[in-house]
Amino acid sequence: MQDNATEVTAAGIARLAGVGRAAVSNWRRRHADFPKPVGGTETSPSFALAEVEAWLRGHGKLAEVPLRERVWQQLAGHPAGPVTALTHAGCVLLLIHDRPTVWLEVSAGSDERLAAMLPGALEQVFTPRFGTARRGTATGAAPVNGGRPETTAATPSAPALAVPVGPELLPSAPLLRGAAELAAELGARQTFEFLLGRHLDANPRQYTLTPAALAELMARLAGPARTVLDPACGAGALLCAAAPGPEQSGQELYAQDGAPELAALTALRLALHTRAAVHAAAGDTLRADAHPHLRADAVLCHPPFNERNWGHDELAYDPRWEYGFPARTESELAWVQHALARLADGGTAVVLMPPAAASRRSGRRIRADLLRRGALRAVVALPAGAAPPYNIPLHLWVLRRPGRAAAHPEVLLADAGRFAGEGRGGPDWQGVREAVLGAWRAYDRAGRLDERPGLARSVPVIELLDDDVDLAPARHLPPPAAAGGAEQLAGVRERLGETLRLTAELTPPPAEAAGSAPRWPLTTVGELARGGALLLRTGGNGGHARVPVLTDHDVLAGTGPSGTLPESDEEAVLTEPGDVVLPVLGGGAVARVIDEAASGAALGRNLVLLRPDPAALDAWFLAGFLRGTANNRRASSYASTATRLDVRRLHLPRLPLAEQRRYGARFRALDEFERALKHAGRLGEQLVRGMYDGLTDGSLTPG
């Protein structure tokens, strides 16, 4: 066996064979010929993929392995790392996409022949697509600090892609053949998107990504453009959104990123996505701009936020600071001016910005000059959840390179916060697109926009040039008329009345007083789990299934699944009707019985699922007794900042199933009453807030 053979974990073996991890553990114990570990740790060993595949095939357990899974395992366990493997696969997929007959010729024969002939074949593709065919290591060092390398001195930029040489390609030969087989099934572009997506999902903390819906909005704000630049390209989402379809040509796409592997992957992604000429480079954009003479029609940028080491000391006299030298704490304003410097006259830039950049005092002079000279045309506040960090409502700045015409007298301010999604499910992107694009296009045509209460207005520049130069849209927009107006408030009041009537009907009847506290024989959840009366599972693993995630917030609020979890090798726990779910943090006595609406969701972090055997336990009886305050106090442990529930210590009375169902019916009625109360409370809050807003902004009268 080669020392650098592809390795796979026990979880990977389980997915290859379509079984659980417990089955893999059993095989290791029962079969003396099972492959021995070649790496990893004692608790998480890794195995040679080739040996594992041979063993599974020899024991008849590899017959139905999905091709996608086999290729992904080859990539994830590549001896040179998944980034190098993904780059090699992308190179071959581009060769298959552009010159399929050349691939057929190169791939015939041994792996050694493939590795020897492939660099020459790739040069035939790289030269017309990227304008270079430099040979050497395909990617650079791995990124730090969220996917962007730390730079302390100016380093020259370099072409993003180099043709890998034969010795680098030889260990990748099985992966390349598998990727080609998958491309015959899915298509070359779709295969690369699948592998890239799996890699990004598997490393959520390593990369800061731009969601596809946001990238589309930014590209549409910029409008059609022949030359487009993204100076902080990341994984290439913005340029993919701006690129025309594969059938069109004539466009030029320019990309740069400080993380060499991201620049390389973006170059391959764009080449597979479009026929446009791709000019991609790796290097620190602010310190070592790879495209200093470019004047693009559009610039799209999702820069790194809150960076202090952006080159403040080295770049004090840089000609890009046309609107003022950014403070050390204003790295985002450095990116804004870089974008403007790379625009042609009249070109448009759209930059994603943290909201603080619109109001920090350290940046007010630059903001003022951007306004005076007509460079800043719009500031759009996005809903929370539009992009990471998801808890902050980020801004979009739309900029134009001023030409010889007079400066624009008004600037557009828009706030799409009303389109925030329920819980953690993300924004209503259709609503965001319609509102923002509609306001921008109307403003761009006329140079001004009539007031749209709570959504958008154009503000005279002179009104913003005060001591603060505060551009936060919420501070300059009138509120929406009484939560939609008097008519909508009347509808809220009517729904509240219906809900209150329903709540009155659901009010529980008086319960019969017990003469003395019953002395039931008690058991615990832990004992019931050991006896098989219920199954106990904990949440927090995303698995590989793309399903909604039930969070602790959803359980407490009584709402539908709204969360997400990163992909993991551990299988997700999926809910079923009749399951009982409990949060383990916070100290509240809450237990939710899963209905059809929440069924099939993955169990989120800090949640425990109990799946009772219907022949032994009634689900509503179980949930009701687990909510007892005294019961929760006995089973909770207390730290300085949190309370944690030990679900196994919760008590239940031992009662016949018929008696359980009698209690369960009452607990279920209480749950319906509780839901109605919460709904009435939400409607009441909406009505009260709308009345206050309407009376104070003058859209309603006291009557």
Side-chain angles (χ1 to χ4, degrees), residues 19 29 66 90 127 183 185 202 254 283 342 371 375 412 432 458 480 484 486-487 499 509 604 630 641:
V19 299
R29 287 195 300 268
T127 299
E185 180 181 311
Y254 293 83
R342 295 296 163 263
L371 290 172
L412 175 67
V432 172
S458 60
E487 184 177 343
T499 305
T641 58

Side-chain angles (χ1 to χ4, degrees), residues 239-491:
L239 288 174
C240 282
E247 69 283 354
Q248 296 174 294
S249 61
Q251 193 180 43
E252 293 188 68
L253 303 176
Y254 293 83
Q256 185 170 353
D257 199 274
E261 76 284 4
L262 284 178
L265 295 177
T266 292
L268 290 166
R269 188 181 190 186
L270 292 173
L272 285 162
H273 189 82
T274 176
R275 299 301 303 180
V278 177
H279 310 276
D284 185 322
T285 297
L286 294 181
R287 288 185 172 93
D289 184 13
H291 312 292
H293 305 297
L294 176 67
R295 296 297 177 264
D297 299 319
V299 175
L300 303 173
C301 186
H302 176 176
F305 297 158
N306 303 317
E307 277 201 349
R308 289 180 177 266
N309 182 27
W310 57 268
H312 177 271
D313 295 339
E314 305 100 298
L315 302 173
Y317 301 102
D318 196 290
R320 288 172 292 182
W321 314 145
E322 188 177 344
Y323 302 87
F325 181 40
R328 190 184 301 276
T329 56
E330 294 286 355
S331 63
E332 297 86 7
L333 293 182
W335 286 98
V336 163
Q337 294 193 75
H338 175 82
L340 283 166
R342 295 296 163 263
L343 280 175
D345 288 349
T348 303
V350 184
V351 184
L352 186 67
M353 300 284 279
S359 55
R360 282 190 298 240
R361 289 190 62 80
S362 55
R364 67 189 187 279
R365 292 184 179 178
I366 294 177
R367 293 196 299 271
D369 209 33
L370 289 169
L371 290 172
R372 287 192 194 98
R373 298 176 60 182
L376 180 59
R377 296 295 180 86
V379 176
V380 178
L382 297 169
Y390 289 106
N391 60 324
I392 297 175
L394 301 175
H395 289 179
L396 289 176
W397 287 21
V398 185
L399 305 113
R400 283 265 169 82
R401 177 76 181 172
R404 296 181 180 179
H408 234 55
E410 298 191 7
V411 64
L412 175 67
L413 300 180
D415 188 345
R418 67 171 67 173
F419 300 104
E422 291 287 334
R424 303 175 189 177
D428 171 12
W429 278 111
Q430 182 176 352
V432 172
R433 281 193 298 272
E434 291 175 356
V436 172
L437 291 173
W440 166 250
R441 288 167 180 166
Y443 162 81
D444 198 30
R445 284 193 302 269
R448 62 179 306 277
L449 181 74
D450 292 334
E451 183 180 296
R452 300 182 181 183
L455 179 62
R457 66 179 283 226
S458 60
V459 181
V461 167
I462 194 67
E463 290 186 16
L464 301 171
L465 294 176
D466 54 16
D467 288 342
D468 296 323
V469 197
D470 190 334
L471 306 181
R475 295 192 175 95
H476 302 279
L477 295 178
E487 184 177 343
Q488 183 171 337
L489 282 180

Side-chain angles (χ1 to χ4, degrees), residues 9 90 122 127-128 144 180 185-186 240 254 260 279 301 315 334 358 374 397 418 478 492 512 534 607 611 623 631 679:
T9 64
L122 291 176
T127 299
V144 296
E185 180 181 311
L186 302 178
C240 282
Y254 293 83
H279 310 276
C301 186
L315 302 173
W397 287 21
R418 67 171 67 173
V492 173
E512 298 179 8
L534 59 81
L607 290 176
R611 182 166 295 158
N631 201 2
H679 187 48

